[in-house]
């Protein structure tokens, strides 16, 4: 067990839209990473009843969320491993359920790889149509494509939701409160 080493950079108080969105996304990515850093495999698999959510599961979940939105939905590509061989019909929450079997180094590697892949896709889109770039795959409900802007706001929302969960889980494990 140890103190987190990831530095969180506060988003700028005044910046253009792209910088603001990316800064908030990076802030929440760092928040999750800090809350999971320095923990053992057993601690990453610790729940806070009544939820079955774990910090390890959260790392794996947000890795597939990043790749799902930016590789699969936005880019139109198939997901790579470990996601490609998952029977999602059999277990929609596979990433949450299997994280307890993974070593911390693997979970962080998976998470970091997903972020790097997502950032590369974002960078590529921003060099083209920018935040107005549309996803290759449409939404299931509307049949309409998502803008990169919508996807980034959704990722920030997803991270913000889970950041609160991560705070509660980490505090219950070792009392660490991330400021």
């Amino acid at each position: 067990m140890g103190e987190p080493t990831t530095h969180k950079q506060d988003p700028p108080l005044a910046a253009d839209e792209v910088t603001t969105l990316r800064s908030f996304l990076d802030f929440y990515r760092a928040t999750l990473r800090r809350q999971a850093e320095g923990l053992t495999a057993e601690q990453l698999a610790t729940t806070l009843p009544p939820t079955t959510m774990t910090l390890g599961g959260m790392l794996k979940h947000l890795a597939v969320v990043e790749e799902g939105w930016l590789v699969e939905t936005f880019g139109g590509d198939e997901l790579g491993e470990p996601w490609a061989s998952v029977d999602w019909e059999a277990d929609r929450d596979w990433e949450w359920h299997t994280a307890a079997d993974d070593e911390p180094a693997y979970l962080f590697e998976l998470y970091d790889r997903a972020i790097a892949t997502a950032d590369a896709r974002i960078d590529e889109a921003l060099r083209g149509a920018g935040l107005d770039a549309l996803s290759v795959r449409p939404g299931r409900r509307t049949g309409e494509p998502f803008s990169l802007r919508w996807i980034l706001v959704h990722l920030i929302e997803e991270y913000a939701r889970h950041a609160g969960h991560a705070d509660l889980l980490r505090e219950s494990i070792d009392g660490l409160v991330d400021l």
Side-chain angles (χ1 to χ4, degrees):
M1 182 172 67
E3 288 290 317
T5 59
T6 296
H7 174 70
K8 287 194 325 185
Q9 178 76 36
D10 286 334
L13 301 179
D16 62 84
E17 187 178 14
V18 169
T19 302
T20 299
L21 291 171
R22 292 196 80 175
S23 296
F24 269 95
L25 182 57
D26 288 342
F27 176 83
Y28 281 116
R29 286 169 169 170
T31 297
L32 176 63
R33 181 173 242 297
R34 283 179 57 82
Q35 292 301 64
E37 278 181 338
L39 297 178
T40 65
E42 180 179 81
Q43 290 171 317
L44 286 173
T46 299
T47 63
L48 179 59
T51 185
T52 59
M53 198 177 289
T54 66
L55 285 169
M58 205 172 295
L59 287 169
K60 205 168 185 178
H61 171 69
L62 286 163
V64 72
V65 166
E66 293 249 10
E67 289 193 36
W69 277 106
L70 288 152
V71 172
E72 190 175 39
T73 302
F74 187 75
D77 298 321
E78 297 302 318
L79 295 179
E81 292 302 336
W83 324 119
S85 58
V86 173
D87 182 354
W88 294 103
E89 295 294 321
D91 187 355
R92 290 184 44 152
D93 292 324
W94 175 86
E95 74 279 22
W96 291 100
H97 298 147
T98 60
D101 300 328
D102 298 323
E103 290 297 318
Y106 173 75
L107 291 169
F108 281 103
E109 177 185 311
L110 191 66
Y111 182 66
D112 291 341
R113 184 189 77 201
I115 288 172
T117 300
D119 280 344
R121 296 293 178 115
I122 294 166
D123 291 342
E124 183 180 337
L126 291 173
R127 285 191 295 274
L131 293 172
D132 294 324
L134 297 177
S135 65
V136 171
R137 295 187 182 177
R140 289 182 295 229
R141 292 186 186 125
T142 66
E144 296 176 51
F146 299 93
S147 71
L148 179 60
R149 177 183 290 102
W150 189 97
I151 291 171
L152 291 175
V153 170
H154 177 68
L155 287 174
I156 292 164
E157 176 268 333
E158 181 86 4
Y159 268 100
R161 254 180 97 205
H162 288 309
H165 300 142
D167 290 346
L168 292 171
L169 286 164
R170 182 62 187 249
E171 186 175 5
S172 75
I173 291 167
D174 66 1
L176 183 107
V177 178
D178 188 42
L179 303 174

